[in-house]
Amino acid sequence: MMDVAVIIAKMETEPTAVLRERWHRLVGGPAPRVSPKMLRLALAWEIQARASGGLSRSCSRTLDQVGRAQTRTRTAVAGTRLVREWGGRVHVVVVGEDRIIRWDNREWRSLSEVARAITGTRWSGHQVAELHARCTQLSTDVREPRSPVLAGIVHTVAVGTNTVTVSCDSEMVARSLGMARLADGPATIETSCSARLTRSGRALRLVRDNGSVAHATPDRSLVRLLIQAHRWWRVLRAGEMSASELAVREGVTSSYVTRITRLAFLAPAVTEAVLAGHQRASVTAASLTVEGAIAPEWRDQMAAMLPGRLVGK
């Protein structure tokens, strides 16, 4: 079987008729009525998906959930370092860039498991659900402009050359969650991460050394376009209409449909990173909708768009 990279390179010089025949042999049915450039991207994606696997079920589910404005399942944020004192001992829990949780020289499946191992206490499912609901509400409250809740919780914020450390008042955190702080518990909770301040236009952002944004918040504009791209590509892939017909239906230009739909051909790893907010800080809606921004080969995309430690995951 010919190497995937060789096939993709060969397609660059193939005429439209040959590309359409390739699609028919590979996917079945007539080729989508799109430009040769987009058809090459689509073919490259399909070829690599068959060789390496396409979007995971969880990624596809997340795209659907976000598209329907449903709640996404949250996981531990990569790059987080949690410091807690319990039983006279300081415990340091690290969530690596690979999202693997490490404590006490072991790897753990969840922060709940670590907490259970440290405290020896197992919570019921009902208690955990209640706490998660309170945490969700608290996360919303602290995002409000000039949030009094956030002002009460945060004790200090120390910004170093390559590290940011946030110290929170344990009593206020407990109160905000409707809980009581243990008498022998620490007065403050400290969380730190390796990051530096960089300027983006008029705004200052925290960026990790590997290029990812320190606070892994998904870029809403980019995620919205990514979801739109997958919706439009499903229509085009099914042969329901051409790109120009789709543009008329959506009330936009054909060039706009083309620029946005190309996002559907991001490598699965890049798509997952965008949904989680873990792509490089330079990867934005503006940068990805420029002509030629999305390379046909996934390895090239990953090298350009993912932080160093995520490439090859």
Side-chain angles (χ1 to χ4, degrees), residues 193-247:
C193 67
S194 298
R196 66 187 186 280
L197 281 173
T198 62
R199 183 172 293 279
S200 178
R202 296 181 180 180
L204 284 174
R205 293 194 295 177
L206 285 172
V207 178
R208 295 194 184 96
D209 292 338
N210 62 11
S212 64
V213 179
H215 181 57
T217 300
D219 182 332
R220 293 183 180 180
S221 297
L222 180 53
V223 170
R224 184 170 61 250
L225 292 182
L226 181 62
I227 292 168
Q228 185 66 74
H230 280 269
R231 284 176 177 167
W232 284 352
W233 176 238
R234 281 196 292 268
V235 173
L236 295 171
R237 191 179 190 277
E240 297 176 14
M241 56 183 67
S242 66
S244 58
E245 290 169 341
L246 178 59

Coordinates of all heavy atoms in Angstrom, one line a residue, residues 193-247:
C193 N 0.6 27.5 38.3 CA 0.9 26.9 37.0 C 2.1 27.7 36.3 O 2.3 28.8 36.7 CB -0.3 26.9 36.1 SG -0.9 28.6 35.6
S194 N 2.8 27.0 35.4 CA 3.9 27.6 34.7 C 3.3 28.4 33.6 O 2.7 27.8 32.7 CB 4.9 26.6 34.2 OG 5.4 25.8 35.3
A195 N 3.5 29.7 33.6 CA 2.9 30.6 32.5 C 3.6 31.9 32.5 O 4.3 32.3 33.5 CB 1.4 30.8 32.8
R196 N 3.5 32.7 31.5 CA 4.1 34.0 31.4 C 3.0 34.9 30.8 O 2.1 34.5 30.1 CB 5.3 34.0 30.5 CG 5.0 33.6 29.0 CD 6.3 33.5 28.2 NE 6.1 33.3 26.8 CZ 5.7 32.1 26.3 NH1 5.5 31.1 27.0 NH2 5.5 32.1 25.0
L197 N 3.2 36.2 31.1 CA 2.3 37.2 30.5 C 2.7 37.6 29.1 O 3.9 38.0 28.9 CB 2.2 38.4 31.4 CG 1.4 38.3 32.7 CD1 1.6 39.6 33.6 CD2 -0.1 38.2 32.3
T198 N 1.8 37.6 28.2 CA 2.1 38.1 26.8 C 1.0 39.1 26.4 O -0.1 39.0 26.9 CB 2.2 37.0 25.8 OG1 0.9 36.3 25.7 CG2 3.2 35.9 26.2
R199 N 1.3 40.0 25.5 CA 0.3 40.9 25.0 C -0.3 40.5 23.7 O 0.5 40.1 22.8 CB 0.9 42.3 24.9 CG -0.1 43.4 24.5 CD 0.5 44.8 24.6 NE 0.8 45.2 25.9 CZ -0.1 45.6 26.8 NH1 -1.3 45.8 26.4 NH2 0.3 46.0 28.0
S200 N -1.6 40.5 23.6 CA -2.3 40.2 22.3 C -3.2 41.4 22.0 O -4.3 41.5 22.6 CB -3.1 38.9 22.5 OG -3.8 38.6 21.3
G201 N -2.7 42.3 21.2 CA -3.5 43.5 20.9 C -3.4 44.4 22.2 O -2.4 44.7 22.7
R202 N -4.6 44.7 22.7 CA -4.7 45.5 23.9 C -4.8 44.7 25.2 O -4.7 45.2 26.3 CB -5.9 46.5 23.9 CG -5.8 47.5 22.7 CD -7.1 48.4 22.8 NE -7.0 49.4 21.7 CZ -8.0 50.3 21.5 NH1 -9.0 50.3 22.3 NH2 -7.9 51.2 20.6
A203 N -4.9 43.4 25.0 CA -5.1 42.5 26.1 C -3.9 41.8 26.5 O -3.0 41.5 25.7 CB -6.2 41.5 25.8
L204 N -3.8 41.5 27.8 CA -2.7 40.6 28.3 C -3.2 39.2 28.6 O -4.3 39.1 29.1 CB -2.2 41.2 29.7 CG -1.3 42.4 29.6 CD1 -1.0 43.0 31.0 CD2 0.0 42.1 28.8
R205 N -2.5 38.2 28.1 CA -2.9 36.9 28.3 C -1.8 36.0 29.0 O -0.6 36.3 28.8 CB -3.3 36.2 27.0 CG -4.5 36.8 26.3 CD -5.0 35.9 25.2 NE -4.1 35.8 24.1 CZ -4.3 35.1 23.0 NH1 -5.4 34.3 23.0 NH2 -3.4 35.0 22.1
L206 N -2.2 35.0 29.7 CA -1.3 34.1 30.3 C -1.1 33.0 29.4 O -2.0 32.3 29.0 CB -1.8 33.6 31.7 CG -1.7 34.5 32.9 CD1 -2.5 33.9 34.0 CD2 -0.3 34.8 33.2
V207 N 0.2 32.7 29.0 CA 0.5 31.7 28.0 C 1.6 30.8 28.6 O 2.6 31.3 29.1 CB 1.0 32.3 26.7 CG1 1.4 31.2 25.7 CG2 0.0 33.2 26.1
R208 N 1.3 29.5 28.5 CA 2.3 28.5 29.0 C 3.6 28.5 28.1 O 3.5 29.0 26.9 CB 1.7 27.1 29.0 CG 0.6 27.0 30.0 CD 0.3 25.5 30.3 NE -0.8 25.3 31.2 CZ -2.1 25.1 30.8 NH1 -2.3 25.1 29.5 NH2 -3.0 25.0 31.6
D209 N 4.6 28.0 28.6 CA 5.9 27.9 27.9 C 5.8 27.1 26.6 O 6.5 27.4 25.6 CB 7.0 27.3 28.7 CG 7.4 28.2 29.9 OD1 7.1 29.4 29.8 OD2 7.9 27.7 30.9
N210 N 4.8 26.2 26.5 CA 4.7 25.4 25.3 C 3.8 26.0 24.3 O 3.5 25.4 23.2 CB 4.2 24.0 25.6 CG 2.8 24.0 26.3 OD1 2.1 25.0 26.3 ND2 2.4 22.8 26.8
G211 N 3.3 27.2 24.5 CA 2.5 28.0 23.5 C 1.0 28.0 23.8 O 0.3 28.7 23.1
S212 N 0.5 27.2 24.7 CA -0.9 27.1 25.0 C -1.3 28.2 26.0 O -0.5 28.7 26.8 CB -1.3 25.7 25.6 OG -0.7 25.5 26.9
V213 N -2.6 28.6 25.9 CA -3.1 29.6 26.8 C -3.2 29.0 28.2 O -3.7 27.9 28.4 CB -4.5 30.1 26.4 CG1 -5.0 31.1 27.3 CG2 -4.4 30.7 25.0
A214 N -2.7 29.7 29.2 CA -2.7 29.2 30.6 C -4.0 28.8 31.1 O -4.2 27.7 31.7 CB -2.0 30.2 31.5
H215 N -5.0 29.7 30.9 CA -6.4 29.3 31.3 C -7.1 28.7 30.1 O -7.4 29.4 29.2 CB -7.1 30.6 31.8 CG -8.5 30.3 32.3 ND1 -8.7 29.5 33.3 CD2 -9.7 30.8 31.9 CE1 -10.1 29.4 33.5 NE2 -10.6 30.2 32.7
A216 N -7.3 27.4 30.2 CA -7.8 26.7 29.0 C -9.3 26.9 28.8 O -10.1 26.1 29.1 CB -7.5 25.2 29.2
T217 N -9.6 28.1 28.3 CA -11.0 28.5 28.0 C -11.1 28.4 26.5 O -10.4 29.1 25.8 CB -11.3 29.9 28.5 OG1 -11.1 29.9 29.9 CG2 -12.7 30.2 28.2
P218 N -12.0 27.6 26.0 CA -12.2 27.5 24.6 C -12.5 28.8 23.9 O -13.3 29.6 24.5 CB -13.4 26.5 24.4 CG -13.4 25.7 25.7 CD -12.9 26.6 26.8
D219 N -12.0 29.1 22.8 CA -12.3 30.3 22.0 C -13.7 30.1 21.4 O -13.9 29.4 20.5 CB -11.2 30.4 20.9 CG -11.4 31.6 20.1 OD1 -12.5 32.2 19.9 OD2 -10.4 32.1 19.5
R220 N -14.6 30.9 22.0 CA -16.0 30.7 21.6 C -16.2 31.0 20.1 O -17.0 30.3 19.4 CB -16.9 31.7 22.4 CG -17.0 31.3 23.9 CD -17.9 32.3 24.6 NE -18.0 31.9 26.0 CZ -18.8 32.6 26.9 NH1 -19.5 33.6 26.5 NH2 -18.8 32.3 28.1
S221 N -15.6 32.0 19.6 CA -15.7 32.3 18.1 C -15.2 31.1 17.3 O -15.8 30.7 16.3 CB -14.9 33.6 17.8 OG -15.5 34.7 18.5
L222 N -14.0 30.6 17.7 CA -13.5 29.5 16.9 C -14.3 28.2 17.0 O -14.5 27.5 16.0 CB -12.0 29.2 17.3 CG -11.3 28.1 16.6 CD1 -11.3 28.3 15.1 CD2 -9.9 28.0 17.2
V223 N -14.8 27.9 18.2 CA -15.6 26.7 18.4 C -16.9 26.9 17.6 O -17.4 25.9 17.0 CB -15.9 26.5 19.9 CG1 -17.0 25.5 20.1 CG2 -14.7 26.2 20.7
R224 N -17.5 28.1 17.6 CA -18.7 28.3 16.9 C -18.5 28.0 15.4 O -19.3 27.4 14.7 CB -19.2 29.7 17.1 CG -20.6 30.0 16.4 CD -21.2 31.3 16.9 NE -20.3 32.4 16.6 CZ -19.6 33.1 17.4 NH1 -19.7 32.8 18.7 NH2 -18.9 34.1 17.1
L225 N -17.4 28.5 14.9 CA -17.1 28.3 13.4 C -16.8 26.8 13.2 O -17.2 26.3 12.1 CB -15.9 29.1 13.0 CG -16.2 30.7 13.0 CD1 -14.9 31.4 12.5 CD2 -17.4 31.0 12.1
L226 N -16.1 26.1 14.1 CA -15.8 24.7 13.9 C -17.1 23.9 13.8 O -17.2 23.0 13.0 CB -15.0 24.3 15.1 CG -14.5 22.8 15.1 CD1 -13.6 22.5 13.9 CD2 -13.8 22.5 16.4
I227 N -18.1 24.2 14.7 CA -19.4 23.5 14.7 C -20.1 23.8 13.4 O -20.6 22.9 12.7 CB -20.2 23.9 15.9 CG1 -19.6 23.4 17.2 CG2 -21.6 23.4 15.7 CD1 -20.2 24.0 18.4
Q228 N -20.0 25.0 12.9 CA -20.7 25.4 11.7 C -20.0 24.7 10.5 O -20.7 24.2 9.6 CB -20.6 26.9 11.4 CG -21.3 27.4 10.2 CD -22.8 27.3 10.3 OE1 -23.5 28.0 11.0 NE2 -23.4 26.3 9.6
A229 N -18.7 24.5 10.5 CA -18.0 23.8 9.5 C -18.4 22.4 9.4 O -18.6 21.9 8.3 CB -16.5 23.9 9.8
H230 N -18.6 21.7 10.5 CA -19.0 20.3 10.5 C -20.4 20.2 10.0 O -20.8 19.2 9.3 CB -18.8 19.7 11.8 CG -17.4 19.3 12.1 ND1 -16.9 18.0 11.8 CD2 -16.3 20.0 12.7 CE1 -15.6 18.0 12.2 NE2 -15.3 19.1 12.7
R231 N -21.3 21.1 10.3 CA -22.7 21.1 9.8 C -22.7 21.2 8.3 O -23.4 20.5 7.6 CB -23.5 22.2 10.5 CG -23.9 22.0 11.9 CD -24.5 23.2 12.5 NE -25.0 23.0 13.8 CZ -25.4 24.0 14.6 NH1 -25.4 25.3 14.1 NH2 -25.9 23.8 15.8
W232 N -22.0 22.2 7.8 CA -22.0 22.5 6.4 C -21.3 21.3 5.6 O -21.8 21.0 4.6 CB -21.3 23.8 6.1 CG -22.1 25.0 6.4 CD1 -23.4 25.0 6.8 CD2 -21.7 26.4 6.4 NE1 -23.9 26.3 7.0 CE2 -22.8 27.2 6.8 CE3 -20.5 27.0 6.1 CZ2 -22.8 28.5 6.9 CZ3 -20.5 28.4 6.2 CH2 -21.6 29.2 6.6
W233 N -20.2 20.8 6.2 CA -19.6 19.7 5.5 C -20.5 18.5 5.4 O -20.5 17.7 4.4 CB -18.2 19.3 6.1 CG -17.6 18.1 5.5 CD1 -17.2 17.0 6.1 CD2 -17.3 18.0 4.1 NE1 -16.7 16.1 5.2 CE2 -16.7 16.7 3.9 CE3 -17.4 18.9 3.0 CZ2 -16.2 16.3 2.7 CZ3 -16.9 18.4 1.8 CH2 -16.4 17.1 1.6
R234 N -21.3 18.2 6.4 CA -22.2 17.1 6.4 C -23.2 17.2 5.2 O -23.5 16.3 4.5 CB -23.0 16.9 7.7 CG -22.2 16.3 8.8 CD -23.1 15.8 9.9 NE -23.7 16.9 10.6 CZ -23.1 17.5 11.7 NH1 -22.0 17.0 12.2 NH2 -23.8 18.5 12.3
V235 N -23.6 18.5 5.0 CA -24.5 18.7 3.9 C -23.8 18.5 2.5 O -24.3 17.9 1.6 CB -25.1 20.2 3.9 CG1 -25.9 20.5 2.7 CG2 -26.0 20.3 5.2
L236 N -22.6 19.1 2.4 CA -21.8 19.0 1.2 C -21.4 17.6 0.9 O -21.4 17.1 -0.2 CB -20.6 19.9 1.2 CG -20.9 21.4 1.3 CD1 -19.7 22.2 1.5 CD2 -21.6 21.9 0.0
R237 N -21.0 16.9 1.9 CA -20.5 15.5 1.8 C -21.6 14.6 1.3 O -21.3 13.6 0.5 CB -19.9 15.0 3.1 CG -19.2 13.7 3.0 CD -18.7 13.3 4.4 NE -17.7 12.2 4.4 CZ -18.1 10.9 4.4 NH1 -19.4 10.6 4.3 NH2 -17.1 10.0 4.3
A238 N -22.8 14.8 1.7 CA -23.9 14.0 1.3 C -24.4 14.3 -0.1 O -25.2 13.6 -0.7 CB -25.1 14.2 2.3
G239 N -23.8 15.4 -0.7 CA -24.2 15.7 -2.1 C -25.6 16.4 -2.2 O -26.1 16.4 -3.3
E240 N -26.1 16.9 -1.1 CA -27.4 17.5 -1.1 C -27.4 18.8 -1.9 O -28.5 19.1 -2.5 CB -27.9 17.8 0.4 CG -28.0 16.6 1.2 CD -28.4 16.9 2.6 OE1 -28.8 18.1 2.9 OE2 -28.3 16.1 3.5
M241 N -26.3 19.5 -1.9 CA -26.2 20.7 -2.7 C -24.8 21.1 -2.9 O -23.9 20.6 -2.2 CB -27.0 21.9 -2.0 CG -26.6 22.2 -0.6 SD -27.6 23.5 0.2 CE -29.2 22.7 0.3
S242 N -24.5 22.0 -3.8 CA -23.2 22.5 -4.0 C -22.8 23.6 -3.0 O -23.7 24.1 -2.3 CB -23.0 23.1 -5.4 OG -23.8 24.2 -5.6
A243 N -21.6 24.0 -3.0 CA -21.1 25.0 -2.1 C -21.8 26.3 -2.4 O -22.2 27.1 -1.5 CB -19.6 25.2 -2.1
S244 N -22.0 26.7 -3.7 CA -22.7 27.9 -4.0 C -24.2 27.8 -3.6 O -24.8 28.8 -3.2 CB -22.6 28.2 -5.5 OG -23.1 27.1 -6.3
E245 N -24.8 26.7 -3.8 CA -26.2 26.5 -3.4 C -26.4 26.7 -1.9 O -27.3 27.2 -1.4 CB -26.8 25.2 -3.9 CG -26.9 25.1 -5.4 CD -27.2 23.7 -5.9 OE1 -26.9 22.8 -5.1 OE2 -27.7 23.6 -7.0
L246 N -25.4 26.1 -1.2 CA -25.4 26.2 0.3 C -25.3 27.6 0.7 O -25.9 28.1 1.7 CB -24.3 25.3 0.9 CG -24.2 25.3 2.4 CD1 -25.4 24.8 3.1 CD2 -23.0 24.5 2.8
A247 N -24.4 28.4 0.0 CA -24.2 29.8 0.4 C -25.5 30.6 0.2 O -25.8 31.4 1.0 CB -23.1 30.3 -0.5

